[in-house]
Amino acid sequence: MEHLESFRAEVKEWLEENCPPSMRTGAKVDASSATDEVWGGRNAVYKNPESKLWLDRMGAKGWTMPTVAKEYGGGGLSKEETKILNEELWSIGAKQALLSFGIWMLAPALLEYASEEQKRLHIPRIIKGEIRWCQGYSEPGSGSDLASLSTKAEDMGDHYLVNGQKVWTSYADQADWIFALVRTGPQEPKHTGISFLLIDMATEGVSTKPITLISGKSPFCETFFDNVKVPKENLVGEVNAGWTIAKALLQHERNFISNFGLAGAASGGGNDVVTLAKKHFGEEDGKIANGIFRSDVTTHKMKEHAFGLTLKRAGDEGGKASAVASMFKYYGTEHNKKRHEMMIAAMGSNGVAWDGDEYDQEEKDLTKAWLRTKGNSIEGGTSEVQLNVISKRVLGLPS
Amino acid sequence: MKLILNEEQQMLKDSAKDFAENRTPVNHFRSLRDDNDPQNWDKEVWKEMVELGWSGILIPEEFGGSDFGLAGISVIMQEIGKTLTPSPLLATAVLGASAINTFGTQEQKAEYLPKIASGEITTALAVDEESHHAPSNTLTKAELVGDEWVINGKKKFVVDGSSADVLIVLARTSGVKGENAGLTLFILNANQEGVEVIKTDMADCRNYANIVFDNVSLAKKALLGDQESGGEAIDKILDEGRIALSAEMLGNSEAAFEMTLNYLKERKQFGVLIGTFQALQHRAAEMFVEIELTKSAVMAAMQGADENNNDLQRMASLAKSIAGETLYLVSNESVQMHGGIGVTDEYDIGFYMKRARVAEVIFGGANFHQERYANLSNF
Ligand SMILES: Cc1cc2nc3c(=O)[nH]c(=O)nc-3n(C[C@H](O)[C@H](O)[C@H](O)COP(=O)(O)OP(=O)(O)OC[C@H]3O[C@@H](n4cnc5c(N)ncnc54)[C@H](O)[C@@H]3O)c2cc1C
């Protein structure tokens, strides 16, 4: 206890000295509304120099991945210490220093499956935000049925030769490296012919082409591999044993995405559906004036309360069990979609504003954020796929 | 607050599970029903529950209980809910014990609590007068005439009302219908002159009564808690009851769901197990998720109650509302997924649906609790 108290004091003091003023304007932990977020990487442009400073300082401490061991560049903190760090960051309204697929997905998988050399090379660079990663899983013909993927990597003796196409690769055009699933065993059954390969996007033969979404933005791309030479040491785990790593990584991804369901970690400028409803429908005796909307809000908020408690319970029970990640992914994303639907519905015509000066930026952003949430129940495995996982792996229903 | 059971609570849960599975499987309820048991619960079973200490869980040690708290009794309710075991636990060990222990005088505690703990008496809480739960709509009147309170009115849908020895009654000593102020609680013997207990038969075949109070005269010491403090008191008592009942309803859902999953894994049609049909798989997965949310809401409410959480009213309403909606979903889907045998009396699954709808009405359904939650949250 005493140790934790002095740790808290240290953190407070460090943050006081090191968190720049413009980085204390409210935490934004949602990846879906990108304005002044920091994703790091070789091509990063920092609109605000203090955000670069904040990243460098947090990265040097290893506090972008506080629980990772110091030898890999992490903070080396215990669970309790991490909790304290997060509380202190929260209490000064610190912005997330780094948003990163490396942190959310790749590093946890590398820690479990990569060689010592690979860990020492890649994890520190993720933690410091030096290298930005993207995820090369889906292909035009292989979405939910991911294991049918056909991008191939041929063993050329001293390197792999990669040919094929990935799609929906989020931020591929801005990423430095890609973690890709490739077919190394064309004769093997589909799950046992896949390997997990790390590829530098700067290698000759790698190219990307952005895809425009319904929100008008282009956060993802088609990614092409045309006779790309990849060093053999970039293979993680054994040849043809990549599917296990792929699945483990998906769980980290699903856990991450499921947190979107909670209003606390929300996009939409921290807007709350109750506040919006009172503003646009008006209030009667302090209540949302439209009774039917109020009742919808209530059931929605109660579900959110119970979902938040369920995340907490899973934590108290000692971490999210693997298949249960599917439950959180499913429920969190469906709930997040509903939350955005309710927010724009609460705002009436202001909730569907797109452009121009008659509506304020927050309103126009929310319209885009609403559309972005539609991808939540598709990315990282669709809702239907999550229900399949629950029914087979949790409930033991027959195939 | 940790959303897990402590060792003591886990032990109570395990022993209740064992009891329910071995002593009172669903057939126990079925035979009480088939025999038209006038009391709708079994005296011998209740005696064994008392011996296990369940009647004294909310009673302090000085009055013969164990003081294990609401979470302790709730995990028991959850387990016996799985086999639809009828017993005076809710009305006596939760509502009666909690009301007297929280609001009774030292004298009242000494008089009643040891008898509850030892199983000598059972109690019932008489609140509602209309078809919907609404304590503030109480019209049953208590007037001070000389040295005595005189009570007149009619209570409805009193849980265990026809078997209880002692009644706790919510009456109006001032104010008008719809007001919480002006309500007062009284405690009296059910065989008091002027009390007429009319047993009612409900869909779940449990013990309920409508109770008429016709010029019932009570000594001043029959007040439970201060005069006019009944509005607040009843809220606290009811919240404990609602949480324990939510736990029972969670147990109902869990059991109905498990029976249904088992059926999906054994029934064949079109040459395959019906559990291979994705239309059923996804609905089963949805039920699983709803049950998980319910577990969390119930866990938070019962642990919160024992830690005097200041958000308890909202937590109780969350638990009762979510438990009700989940049980509604699961009881309906379970019957549907059983096909024809799902609607037969011979098969147990239908019992869960009948119990579900009755439990939903007790102490406020989802609508009542959503409204209450919304008001408490300033929506
Ligand atoms: C915003 C966003 C970001 C993404 N980012 C990345 C990324 O960075 N990297 C990457 O590799 N991929 C990414 N993806 C791709 C994503 O993983 C796939 O879109 C997803 O796995 C679904 O594949 P699909 O689009 O081919 O749909 P399909 O698999 O063709 O699915 C079409 C429909 O059929 C349903 N369906 C399919 N199979 C079944 C089944 N067995 N049972 C029931 N229903 C089924 C689906 O649920 C869906 O409704 C992203 C997607 C989105 C939307």
Side-chain angles (χ1 to χ4, degrees):
Chain A
M1 279 322 280
E2 223 169 87
H3 155 73
L4 289 181
E5 278 324 299
S6 71
F7 177 74
R8 188 185 293 277
E10 266 169 53
V11 171
K12 265 189 207 299
E13 196 185 317
W14 188 88
L15 289 177
E16 205 36 65
E17 278 168 24
N18 291 285
C19 184
S22 66
M23 294 293 105
R24 302 185 188 197
T25 51
K28 233 185 200 172
V29 283
D30 189 341
S32 63
S33 61
T35 41
D36 47 1
E37 294 161 346
V38 170
W39 289 85
R42 298 193 284 235
N43 310 319
V45 187
Y46 297 89
K47 272 185 279 176
N48 175 354
E50 288 195 340
S51 67
K52 167 84 169 104
L53 194 63
W54 180 224
L55 169 59
D56 287 345
R57 288 175 177 170
M58 285 290 279
K61 280 290 243 191
W63 282 0
T64 53
M65 289 198 86
T67 55
V68 169
K70 282 198 164 145
E71 58 199 292
Y72 305 128
L77 303 187
S78 67
K79 253 186 168 176
E80 290 76 24
E81 290 168 334
T82 304
K83 191 162 165 259
I84 289 174
L85 172 62
N86 288 335
E87 285 166 4
E88 292 306 319
L89 286 165
W90 180 258
S91 84
I92 61 164
K95 283 199 172 155
Q96 193 125 330
L98 179 62
L99 303 173
S100 152
F101 289 178
I103 292 177
W104 300 325
M105 306 179 210
L106 180 61
L110 289 181
L111 282 169
E112 197 176 347
Y113 294 101
S115 69
E116 193 56 30
E117 260 184 338
Q118 289 168 329
K119 288 191 227 179
R120 285 183 192 271
L121 175 65
H122 294 292
I123 296 176
R125 302 198 298 185
I126 289 173
I127 287 174
K128 293 195 173 70
E130 289 168 4
I131 292 295
R132 181 170 181 178
W133 286 86
C134 64
Q135 176 187 30
Y137 275 31
S138 307
E139 297 180 4
S142 303
S144 298
D145 183 12
L146 182 60
S148 69
L149 61 94
S150 55
T151 293
K152 65 177 178 193
E154 289 165 279
D155 190 338
M156 308 302 281
D158 62 338
H159 66 272
Y160 287 108
L161 189 67
V162 179
N163 277 291
Q165 186 198 335
K166 295 289 173 181
V167 73
W168 321 130
T169 328
S170 296
Y171 307 117
D173 52 344
Q174 295 163 54
D176 306 310
W177 279 64
I178 183 167
F179 51 92
L181 296 181
V182 292
R183 186 153 303 282
T184 38
Q187 310 305 336
E188 322 287 332
K190 65 179 182 180
H191 291 96
T192 50
I194 294 171
S195 296
F196 193 97
L197 199 57
L198 308 176
I199 304 174
D200 188 337
M201 302 282 280
T203 319
E204 203 184 317
V206 181
S207 61
T208 61
K209 198 171 137 206
I211 304 168
T212 306
L213 296 194
I214 47 177
S215 64
K217 300 186 175 164
S218 315
F220 56 21
C221 301
E222 292 175 281
T223 305
F224 302 93
F225 300 93
D226 183 14
N227 286 323
V228 177
K229 287 186 183 171
V230 180
K232 283 203 134 167
E233 66 257 29
N234 289 10
L235 188 85
V236 180
E238 302 286 315
V239 180
N240 289 343
W243 186 243
T244 311
I245 308 173
K247 279 193 301 185
L249 187 138
L250 272 176
Q251 258 154 35
H252 297 299
E253 180 179 11
R254 287 167 189 172
N255 280 335
F256 171 72
I257 296 174
S258 59
N259 290 324
F260 289 174
L262 293 175
S267 60
N271 268 320
D272 177 72
V273 61
V274 176
T275 318
L276 290 172
K278 284 184 175 173
K279 178 172 165 197
H280 292 276
F281 282 116
E283 291 182 51
E284 267 167 29
D285 305 329
K287 297 176 182 174
I288 299 167
N290 184 308
I292 292 184
F293 196 80
R294 181 174 188 255
S295 117
D296 285 352
V297 167
T298 305
T299 44
H300 176 77
K301 282 282 190 181
M302 290 174 86
K303 281 295 178 68
E304 186 162 297
H305 191 168
F307 180 61
L309 290 169
T310 306
L311 285 168
K312 174 166 167 29
R313 181 165 64 87
D316 289 349
E317 283 170 358
K320 296 167 191 170
S322 61
V324 178
S326 286
M327 167 176 94
F328 289 116
K329 202 284 176 178
Y330 165 70
Y331 201 85
T333 57
E334 292 297 333
H335 190 83
N336 197 37
K337 286 198 295 185
K338 181 80 194 297
R339 192 159 60 79
H340 281 77
E341 289 290 0
M342 296 202 71
M343 285 196 284
I344 67 158
M347 291 162 68
S349 57
N350 291 39
V352 286
W354 193 262
D355 209 351
D357 297 330
E358 282 301 300
Y359 294 94
D360 60 38
Q361 195 55 43
E362 217 172 273
E363 292 171 330
K364 288 176 287 185
D365 284 348
L366 192 61
T367 311
K368 315 278 161 62
W370 155 67
L371 287 166
R372 175 62 182 83
T373 61
K374 299 304 172 192
N376 292 163
S377 51
I378 298 170
E379 62 197 314
T382 67
S383 282
E384 291 76 15
V385 165
Q386 306 310 322
L387 292 174
N388 288 346
V389 174
I390 295 171
S391 51
K392 303 223 168 71
R393 288 207 224 124
V394 183
L395 305 179
L397 289 172
S399 329
Chain B
M1 179 170 63
K2 281 248 188 265
L3 299 184
I4 41 176
L5 299 181
N6 65 29
E7 216 172 296
E8 211 166 63
Q9 292 158 354
Q10 189 61 50
M11 271 168 54
L12 284 171
K13 189 170 154 77
D14 293 343
S15 107
K17 181 175 157 65
D18 187 54
F19 186 89
E21 283 173 4
N22 297 307
R23 181 68 176 93
T24 61
V26 182
N27 260 340
H28 168 71
F29 165 70
R30 181 181 287 280
S31 58
L32 284 172
R33 196 232 16 197
D34 289 348
D35 300 347
N36 282 320
D37 185 288
Q39 196 167 247
N40 306 91
W41 50 267
D42 185 288
K43 281 212 166 105
E44 206 40 54
V45 165
W46 177 232
K47 214 177 122 203
E48 290 168 35
M49 289 179 170
V50 168
E51 278 159 13
L52 286 166
W54 296 355
S55 55
I57 283 182
L58 292 186
I59 294 175
E61 288 176 27
E62 58 171 314
F63 299 113
S66 61
D67 212 3
F68 277 159
L70 192 68
I73 191 84
S74 296
V75 293
I76 295 172
M77 297 281 292
Q78 182 185 354
E79 290 306 318
I80 65 165
K82 290 182 183 169
T83 59
L84 298 167
T85 306
S87 82
L89 272 179
L90 177 65
T92 301
V94 180
L95 299 166
S98 150
I100 297 163
N101 188 43
T102 316
F103 300 102
T105 60
Q106 200 59 22
E107 203 183 319
Q108 286 169 327
K109 290 188 202 181
E111 180 179 354
Y112 295 108
L113 293 180
K115 290 184 188 162
I116 290 179
S118 70
E120 198 178 317
I121 57 168
T122 63
T123 65
L125 182 67
V127 181
D128 287 316
E129 302 179 8
E130 301 170 342
S131 48
H132 284 285
H133 177 62
S136 62
N137 280 358
T138 293
L139 283 176
T140 292
K141 207 157 132 187
E143 279 174 303
L144 202 52
V145 180
D147 253 1
E148 296 197 313
W149 287 102
V150 178
I151 302 189
N152 277 292
K154 182 173 178 183
K155 292 290 176 181
K156 205 175 156 170
F157 193 42
V158 178
V159 177
D160 286 356
S162 97
S163 54
D165 307 296
V166 170
L167 301 176
I168 296 165
V169 182
L170 185 67
R172 186 166 289 289
T173 43
S174 72
V176 295
K177 180 174 170 174
E179 283 179 1
N180 239 1
L183 296 175
T184 304
L185 284 170
F186 294 88
I187 184 164
L188 58 142
N189 286 334
N191 59 10
Q192 185 96 18
E193 193 170 330
V195 176
E196 189 195 353
V197 175
I198 307 156
K199 184 176 186 320
T200 56
D201 293 331
M202 311 305 279
D204 64 348
C205 291
R206 297 235 192 159
N207 188 308
Y208 302 94
N210 293 346
I211 304 181
V212 180
F213 299 87
D214 183 14
N215 280 319
V216 177
S217 303
L218 299 175
K220 272 195 163 164
K221 64 167 196 176
L223 271 186
L224 185 65
D226 295 335
Q227 188 176 334
E228 319 270 278
S229 71
E232 263 174 55
I234 197 73
D235 218 31
K236 168 105 178 37
I237 302 163
L238 284 170
D239 275 339
E240 302 216 337
R242 287 158 178 157
I243 294 167
L245 180 58
S246 306
E248 182 187 339
M249 292 163 80
L250 167 61
N252 296 154
S253 289
E254 289 179 291
F257 184 54
E258 197 188 323
M259 284 174 69
T260 305
L261 275 185
N262 289 339
Y263 194 67
L264 296 182
K265 292 173 190 172
E266 80 196 21
R267 168 75 174 165
K268 275 190 172 176
Q269 281 297 285
F270 300 98
V272 295
L273 293 170
I274 59 172
T276 59
F277 301 140
Q278 199 179 49
L280 301 188
Q281 288 182 342
H282 283 193
R283 280 152 64 193
E286 303 259 7
M287 285 193 266
F288 167 78
V289 177
E290 296 298 333
I291 290 172
E292 287 299 307
L293 294 191
T294 309
K295 282 183 190 168
S296 314
V298 169
M299 175 73 83
M302 72 193 197
Q303 302 288 18
D306 289 336
E307 293 176 20
N308 289 316
N309 191 302
N310 57 17
D311 201 17
L312 191 65
Q313 293 179 313
R314 256 170 29 113
M315 310 265 259
S317 281
L318 180 69
K320 181 67 169 59
S321 161
I322 300 247
E325 292 197 324
T326 300
L327 184 52
Y328 177 90
L329 172 78
V330 173
S331 61
N332 279 335
E333 287 284 63
S334 296
V335 166
Q336 176 67 19
M337 291 188 191
H338 275 83
I341 60 160
V343 289
T344 61
D345 184 72
E346 192 190 325
Y347 215 77
D348 291 340
I349 199 73
F351 286 158
Y352 286 87
M353 169 137 42
K354 291 192 262 190
R355 174 60 187 159
R357 289 314 176 282
V358 182
E360 172 67 8
V361 198
I362 300 173
F363 307 146
N367 286 337
F368 176 94
H369 287 289
Q370 284 159 8
E371 174 78 23
R372 185 170 180 246
Y373 185 99
N375 292 338
L376 290 165
S377 310
N378 293 316
F379 290 165

